[in-house]
Amino acid sequence: MTFGTQFLTYPELFPARLAGESWGSQSLYLRLAGADYALTGLSEIQQAAISVRFGALCRATATDVAAELHLYQAEAEDFLGIPYPGWAYSLDCDYQPQHLRLAGLGLMARLELAPTWRGGLWVPTADAQMVADGTLENILRVLVAYRLLAQGGLLLHSAGTVRDGAAYIFFGHSGAGKSTISRLNLSAGLTVLSDDMNALVWRAGQWWVEKLPFAGDLGQNAVDAGCYPLHGLYRLVKAPHHALHPLLPARATASLLACAPYVNQNPHLLDSLLIEANRIVTGVTVAQLEFALDSGFWRCLVE
Amino acid sequence: MSYRKVSSVRYRRLLDEGIVIQQAAGEVLALNATGLRVLELLDTGHSLEATVAQLAAEYDVLPATVAADVRAYAAELQAAGILEPGTP
């Protein structure tokens, strides 16, 4: 299928560069995975909605901006409706060596990758809809995934929990048990980072987990930052009994790659993604956790 | 019979094992050393028969010993969307 035809009325008119009329002159900085992302071209309503949504992660100034995302105006008639009944949310991506084009429900985005790290998001309303419906967050997830990889980190589809000061990351596809294990950990009084997306970053000679404001089924109450040393990565597999099994390097790397969203479908990034995943595998525990859907799994990890 | 790799599939050797990425679907598989070798041979222009002969030589066994396994494995890779019939 040709890029954009599922979502755009005129895919051939997709913006060829970062240009257009902004929704406003407001801006703010968002702290994500230890870096500041500039959001510019915002209307006052959009800025206020982002401030409410991302709370303590928003700031008025930044010293070192990792990437900039500018909001541009689009016309409502530029976009088609929901593709078909029962459609599951997805983005259409066009991968180029230096940039990405993205089309989705009510959005067009163009992300210029290294070295500029500038992007544009075209949406059809000046109001808070693009915050409420997740449009902005879905583009930020993509931008963070690419930026992290370029910095030697990885965005992982995973549930993160802090125990005794260290982060345990449980990764796997939808249905593997990430939200279930997060609920169990919350009930046990542990700190849950995200039940959907966590950032692995290499800093000061070790792997860390940065809390991200990207939650899944569990939702998110407090939106704040946090950074914890990584204890280990555990691939979740539902099973009748809890058990922990080592993963051979290739299987561990393959498992991580499968849960590295957005970047793992970009043919231009395969080798850098492999390098980072393999670096993680050789540096920390990566194992398979057979998970029987109760909190007894901790015995496999801490005893 | 010959196979070729589906165009959206990439694979890499990692130590003695292989990683296969189906980028269109975002799915990733790990192959053991023998599986990776079969994929490499088929993807570099070896027919199924030539792949059997090459593997037999590398493992120092009779072709008949590995033929059925190689054919079955190639069929598995095809069913998984990694290989398709044709010349590379």
Side-chain angles (χ1 to χ4, degrees):
Chain A
M1 184 181 290
T2 308
F3 170 74
T5 53
Q6 191 176 25
F7 299 107
L8 306 178
T9 311
Y10 312 106
E12 69 278 11
L13 299 181
F14 192 97
R17 58 195 173 93
L18 299 178
E21 192 162 348
S22 305
W23 274 118
S25 58
Q26 305 300 309
S27 63
L28 56 74
Y29 298 95
L30 204 50
R31 188 78 176 163
L32 299 170
D36 290 316
Y37 290 73
L39 302 180
T40 58
L42 308 172
S43 69
E44 291 185 6
I45 294 174
Q46 289 167 339
Q47 185 194 40
I50 293 168
S51 297
V52 170
R53 165 66 181 83
F54 293 101
L57 301 179
C58 296
R59 51 189 64 190
T61 60
T63 52
D64 187 19
V65 177
E68 177 186 351
L69 184 66
H70 193 93
L71 257 72
Y72 295 104
Q73 296 184 24
E75 301 294 334
E77 56 265 31
D78 291 341
F79 302 98
L80 303 174
I82 291 175
Y84 50 84
W87 171 75
Y89 191 90
S90 65
L91 293 170
D92 193 3
C93 300
D94 174 39
Y95 304 105
Q96 300 296 324
Q98 298 298 323
H99 71 269
L100 287 181
R101 297 192 303 159
L102 301 143
L105 197 61
L107 74 89
M108 294 181 283
R110 182 184 179 92
L111 304 181
E112 306 283 350
L113 305 177
T116 57
W117 294 106
R118 294 174 61 231
L121 172 60
W122 287 259
V123 292
T125 63
D127 62 21
Q129 182 66 24
M130 59 99 184
V131 178
D133 66 11
T135 294
L136 175 66
E137 178 177 327
N138 286 320
I139 296 305
L140 285 174
R141 287 178 179 223
V142 178
L143 186 55
V144 168
Y146 276 81
R147 188 74 177 117
L148 272 173
L149 182 61
Q151 292 173 309
L154 198 65
L155 181 68
L156 203 61
H157 195 200
S158 60
T161 292
V162 179
R163 180 170 175 144
D164 298 330
Y168 292 73
I169 295 295
F170 307 98
F171 65 99
H173 281 302
S174 299
K178 296 188 296 299
S179 293
T180 302
I181 211 166
S182 296
R183 285 193 188 93
L184 288 168
N185 290 336
L186 263 185
S187 299
L190 298 174
T191 298
V192 169
L193 302 175
S194 166
D195 66 333
D196 196 38
M197 296 281 173
N198 292 279
L200 308 184
V201 298
W202 176 259
R203 193 177 295 148
Q206 72 175 100
W207 287 101
W208 299 77
V209 179
E210 286 271 5
K211 182 179 181 181
L212 288 170
F214 305 146
D217 294 341
L218 197 62
Q220 207 147 30
N221 293 321
V223 178
D224 52 14
C227 187
Y228 306 88
L230 175 61
H231 181 280
L233 297 156
Y234 304 97
R235 178 175 182 254
L236 278 183
V237 176
K238 287 180 181 170
H241 307 287
H242 300 297
L244 189 66
H245 300 288
L247 285 172
L248 292 172
R251 188 165 295 274
T253 303
S255 299
L256 288 178
L257 258 59
C259 292
Y262 314 118
V263 292
N264 69 1
Q265 290 181 277
N266 187 328
H268 307 291
L269 292 181
L270 175 57
D271 289 312
S272 55
L273 184 55
L274 265 173
I275 289 168
E276 289 312 319
N278 193 43
R279 202 160 66 93
I280 293 169
V281 166
T282 54
V284 296
T285 297
V286 185
Q288 179 162 300
L289 177 63
E290 294 185 355
F291 173 47
L293 304 180
D294 64 55
S295 56
F297 71 90
W298 280 110
R299 286 194 297 273
C300 300
L301 304 184
V302 298
E303 291 180 1
Chain B
M1 182 173 186
S2 294
Y3 290 91
R4 67 184 169 205
K5 180 176 65 63
V6 171
S7 63
S8 61
V9 169
R10 309 280 188 279
Y11 65 91
R12 296 288 187 275
R13 175 177 287 275
L14 186 65
L15 301 176
D16 285 336
E17 298 180 288
I19 291 179
V20 179
I21 303 182
Q22 294 172 287
Q23 294 207 286
E27 293 181 357
V28 188
L29 304 171
L31 303 184
N32 63 22
T34 311
L36 175 64
R37 187 66 181 134
V38 172
L39 176 58
E40 284 176 339
L41 289 167
L42 291 171
D43 185 45
T44 50
H46 293 73
S47 67
L48 203 52
E49 294 72 22
T51 298
V52 168
Q54 181 66 30
L55 272 185
E58 291 179 8
Y59 285 86
D60 196 20
V61 295
L62 293 172
T65 305
V66 297
D69 286 344
V70 171
R71 287 179 196 281
Y73 192 65
E76 275 183 39
L77 293 176
Q78 183 181 353
I82 295 167
L83 293 175
E84 60 188 5
T87 52

